[in-house]
Amino acid sequence: EGAEKHVTMMSAVKAGLKIVDVDINITEVEDVRAFLKASDCKVIFFKPEHGDHDYLLQLRKAIPEFFEYDDSHGQMFRSKYFPKLRYFFQTGALNEVGCVQYKALFLPNYSDNMLGESAEGITDKDLIYQQIKKGSNGGIEVCDALPASKVLDLPTWSFAKKIMNKEYFEV
């Protein structure tokens, strides 16, 4: 529930992208592969470690090509198992091989119009958010994708909603 997650969620919605929020309790390699297949994601944003669990190692085990991937050569990631997956963004202080440091993201030649233009086609009916949870009997549970009109009522989005409504500020 860090700031990076909330910024990512709001930015993705603004850009018209779908966010798939994955339960941190999904720790089995087979379950990670299942959620990657279910989400059909292009980008993974993750925190390398949470508590004593190493999510970077978990992703490397779940995605065989990720063990060998080195992004320093300018080539986009490719996987025969997850054909749409292209990028790995990590939070935290260290920069792992194959991952883009989250705080290094930037928009070259940014203009206020860029986000507005990308969001012009979004309607309240567009599916923008989906949760994948650890199943009660093992495995994963893929929840229905939700439209923009229903997302802000979810507990996960309560903080983002306060920011958008200008109800939150730090002193």
Side-chain angles (χ1 to χ4, degrees):
E1 292 300 318
E4 292 98 345
K5 179 178 179 179
H6 296 290
V7 169
T8 302
M9 288 166 53
M10 289 187 294
S11 300
V13 170
K14 188 77 173 170
L17 303 173
K18 182 174 87 173
I19 288 284
V20 177
D21 194 6
V22 179
D23 185 344
I24 62 169
N25 295 311
I26 295 175
T27 56
E28 298 298 319
V29 171
E30 297 78 25
D31 293 341
V32 172
R33 287 185 181 137
F35 88 67
L36 288 169
K37 288 240 185 249
S39 68
D40 208 17
C41 65
K42 296 176 187 175
V43 179
I44 296 176
F45 284 90
F46 70 100
K47 184 175 184 178
E49 295 178 357
H50 185 74
D52 58 356
H53 190 76
D54 186 342
Y55 287 99
L56 177 64
L57 180 60
Q58 180 183 19
L59 283 171
R60 291 198 191 281
K61 286 181 178 178
I63 308 166
E65 300 92 344
F66 191 28
F67 260 119
E68 304 296 323
Y69 178 59
D70 180 358
D71 62 338
S72 65
H73 304 296
Q75 287 190 305
M76 198 178 300
F77 178 78
R78 301 256 188 247
S79 170
K80 67 180 181 180
Y81 303 100
F82 311 102
K84 292 186 179 179
L85 183 58
R86 294 291 179 261
Y87 298 102
F88 300 88
F89 289 94
Q90 73 169 72
T91 62
L94 301 176
N95 192 16
E96 301 288 344
V97 173
C99 299
V100 176
Q101 183 68 12
Y102 183 86
K103 64 184 178 187
L105 290 174
F106 67 96
L107 279 173
N109 303 319
Y110 172 77
S111 74
D112 289 334
N113 231 6
M114 289 174 78
L115 288 177
E117 289 171 8
S118 65
E120 281 178 359
I122 301 172
T123 69
D124 282 346
K125 294 179 182 175
D126 289 329
L127 301 177
I128 62 166
Y129 183 75
Q130 184 174 33
Q131 286 183 307
I132 297 180
K133 302 176 184 180
K134 186 172 182 78
S136 56
N137 298 328
I140 64 167
E141 176 188 340
V142 179
C143 301
D144 290 337
L146 297 175
S149 60
K150 299 203 185 249
V151 166
L152 290 177
D153 295 329
L154 295 173
T156 307
W157 284 77
S158 63
F159 187 76
K161 185 176 182 178
K162 286 180 182 177
I163 293 171
M164 289 189 275
N165 291 334
K166 299 179 181 173
E167 298 171 8
Y168 177 82
F169 63 92
E170 278 192 35
V171 179

